[in-house]
Amino acid sequence: MNSTRTLWAGLLPALALCGALLCTSLVSAQEATPETKKDEPAPAAKAEEPKAEEPKVEAKAEEPKAEAAPATTTTTEVLSEEVKTEEAAAPAAPAPLPSAAELSYAIDNMVLFICAVLVIFMQAGFALVETGLNSSKNAVNIMFKNYMDFVVGALLFFVVGYGIMYPGLDGSNDIIPDWFGFAQFGVAAQDPAQTPTIEAAHPLDSNADFLFQVAFAATAATIVSGSVAGRIKFPAYLVYTAVITGFIYPVSGMWKWGGGWLNQMGFIDFAGSLVVHAVGGFAGLAGAIALGPRLGRYINGKPQAMPGHNIPYVALGVFILMIGWYGFNPGSQLAFTGTANTQVVLLIAVNTTLAGCAGAVAAMCVSWPMFGKADLTFALNGGLAGLVSITANCHIVTHWESLIIGAVGGVVVITGILLLDKLQIDDPVGAFPVHGCCGLWAGIATGLFGTDAILSTQLIGSFAIAGWALATSLVLFFGLKAIGLLRVNAEEELAGLDICEHGMYAYPQNIVALDTVNSSFGSSGIPTHGHSMATKPSTESA
């Protein structure tokens, strides 16, 4: 009962207040009605009727708005959060397309990288040619040397050779101006902002350039392997490889490609007939002179045939070298985007093809009547001779001129082989005739046929590079000979360098061909240098 009284006591004031408000509203409505009717005859008054009530409508409307304000704010926040969620869930905008300059930079450097791989692949071709043209008892030794040419050569060229060959065109790093300099150990850091400019339309990434250059350095080194095959000590060859890739090749390379004195004279050697091939060829000649001929190669002044053990290896190797040459010569353009560069690269490729083919045919045609048989090895060496001959000038001669240059190269290589036999200089694979003689011919041919080439300048540059390689290599090889490190003894040579230097054979022992020599060398039976021919080396699987 008390609670009911209390309830009514609380409600009565509230009800009274509501009644008072209701009465006030009714009175206000009655007062507003006559005023509106007074204005009825005037159309303007009727038109203004909403305006007369507008303050009250706004007042009434403001009350629910004020009450609903929290709800409106909450809804807005929810919508904002949903929009944010949708934005977060939406996929990111696609990255902008690369500019023309970026595409040009990427294409130039990636094509150069592919060309570098092709030139490195040439190491396999050299290995097969040299192995096939030598005795089976030296196959492991020759393969090993060719592999070391690249791995040791790459390390030495990285550490010092690259810095010597490219000291910088401004001359700030030259020790002997235009003759010798040194930029840095290793390879310069990449430039993240490097893009083509007006001054440098086709800039090269430092790593791409190094890979291409180190492939050339290894090529110069591996040429010598064939000239000294079958009788050089393995440690001596490692020393030679380090010296040629770390010093001999980079110095003469700087004279031309590093902006040195030959380059300033206007000497032309586009892809390395002289800088690469002649250096390797004349270094090989020095090695062959210092070592002397293989046992039994010359008897009473007459050359004795010592045929290779696997001519298919030789043919396969030459095919690989031909393929690699499309990285060697066209890659030396160093720029591949744009109409002009594309056309030059394709001209180089066709000229390279034609010269190689012409050299092979010319060598076959000259040697066939001379020796009474069509000798595959002469044709293969002729093909290589044509390729070497066109390498210096492939960008500035016509197709017909490339045929002439290659064909003359095929004749030059046959002449070089015969000359070595007359001088009793033993070059088992003909490395000097192919790379040395035809390298010189390439330099001369550039002066005879090349656009804007000067013959006198070509002669100076060609003989300067060849003379440098020959002189420094003679000092190196005769120095090794003086300390007893150059040549294996007769017993080891007869047994084969595979078993004596490496403790293994490339083939099963019962089919390994051991060379026999004239009895004047005092050989009776087959020497084994302490190795039993009846027992397989431990490194050979059963």
Side-chain angles (χ1 to χ4, degrees), residues 216 257 269-277 328-330 332 391-394:
F216 278 53
W257 292 342
D269 185 9
F270 180 72
S273 291
L274 282 303
V275 173
V276 178
H277 294 279
F328 207 98
N329 285 3
S332 294
T391 295
N393 45 64
C394 51

Side-chain angles (χ1 to χ4, degrees), residues 252-437:
S252 56
M254 178 267 182
W255 296 349
K256 167 54 187 170
W257 292 342
W261 67 278
L262 286 179
N263 186 66
Q264 294 176 17
M265 284 180 60
F267 176 70
I268 297 174
D269 185 9
F270 180 72
S273 291
L274 282 303
V275 173
V276 178
H277 294 279
V279 166
F282 277 88
L285 175 64
I289 292 172
L291 280 164
R294 291 167 291 174
L295 297 178
R297 179 67 177 92
Y298 299 101
I299 299 176
N300 298 325
K302 295 182 179 180
Q304 305 298 311
M306 300 181 73
H309 81 282
N310 196 323
I311 301 305
Y313 273 14
V314 182
L316 178 60
V318 171
F319 276 119
I320 291 174
L321 289 171
M322 289 177 62
I323 294 170
W325 234 285
Y326 291 109
F328 207 98
N329 285 3
S332 294
Q333 177 67 8
L334 303 180
F336 308 95
T337 53
T339 301
N341 286 321
T342 301
Q343 290 181 344
V344 172
V345 167
L346 295 176
L347 171 68
I348 292 168
V350 173
N351 282 344
T352 300
T353 304
L354 294 176
C357 295
V361 172
M364 178 187 69
C365 292
V366 170
S367 63
W368 194 340
M370 187 178 295
F371 300 102
K373 297 289 183 180
D375 192 320
L376 174 60
T377 60
F378 281 125
L380 293 172
N381 266 338
L384 296 179
L387 292 170
V388 172
S389 301
I390 199 65
T391 295
N393 45 64
C394 51
H395 65 310
I396 53 173
V397 298
T398 66
H399 297 330
W400 294 104
E401 289 169 339
S402 69
L403 287 170
I404 297 171
I405 293 170
V408 173
V411 176
V412 168
V413 73
I414 301 298
T415 306
I417 292 171
L418 297 176
L419 177 62
L420 288 183
D421 277 343
K422 290 291 184 181
L423 299 174
Q424 297 190 34
I425 298 175
D426 185 17
D427 185 344
V429 303
F432 172 70
V434 170
H435 302 279
C437 295

Side-chain angles (χ1 to χ4, degrees), residues 55-303:
K56 292 183 178 180
V57 173
E58 287 179 357
K60 290 180 181 179
E62 284 176 0
E63 291 179 3
K65 281 183 180 179
E67 294 175 0
T72 303
T73 302
T74 303
T75 304
T76 303
E77 292 176 352
V78 171
L79 291 173
S80 177
E81 291 296 329
E82 290 177 354
V83 171
K84 290 181 180 179
T85 303
E86 290 177 359
E87 290 178 352
L97 294 175
S99 65
E102 290 175 321
L103 287 174
S104 175
Y105 179 82
I107 292 171
D108 284 338
N109 283 276
M110 291 309 297
V111 172
L112 186 66
F113 167 66
I114 294 171
C115 291
V117 172
L118 286 173
V119 179
I120 293 171
F121 186 46
M122 292 174 73
Q123 294 292 120
F126 280 115
L128 287 171
V129 169
E130 294 168 12
T131 300
L133 285 174
N134 279 275
S135 170
S136 61
K137 64 184 179 182
N138 298 318
V140 171
N141 178 261
I142 294 171
M143 284 288 183
F144 206 160
K145 288 189 299 181
N146 276 271
Y147 184 56
M148 288 296 105
D149 281 328
F150 183 78
V151 297
V152 174
L155 294 177
L156 267 295
F157 192 73
F158 170 78
V159 175
V160 294
Y162 190 69
I164 293 174
M165 192 163 179
Y166 296 98
L169 298 178
D170 59 1
S172 59
N173 296 315
D174 284 3
I175 299 171
I176 303 175
D178 301 328
W179 286 79
F180 182 79
F182 184 72
Q184 78 282 317
F185 293 102
V187 180
Q190 292 174 297
D191 181 5
Q194 189 178 38
T195 54
T197 62
I198 296 176
E199 294 77 15
H202 301 275
L204 296 179
D205 179 85
S206 57
N207 289 308
D209 184 56
F210 170 77
L211 282 174
F212 192 64
Q213 299 300 334
V214 77
F216 278 53
T219 299
T222 201
I223 290 169
V224 182
S225 174
S227 295
V228 300
R231 68 252 201 228
I232 191 171
K233 289 184 177 180
F234 189 67
Y237 191 81
L238 295 180
V239 172
Y240 150 77
T241 296
V243 173
I244 192 172
T245 52
F247 180 71
I248 297 175
Y249 168 77
V251 170
S252 56
M254 178 267 182
W255 296 349
K256 167 54 187 170
W257 292 342
W261 67 278
L262 286 179
N263 186 66
Q264 294 176 17
M265 284 180 60
F267 176 70
I268 297 174
D269 185 9
F270 180 72
S273 291
L274 282 303
V275 173
V276 178
H277 294 279
V279 166
F282 277 88
L285 175 64
I289 292 172
L291 280 164
R294 291 167 291 174
L295 297 178
R297 179 67 177 92
Y298 299 101
I299 299 176
N300 298 325
K302 295 182 179 180

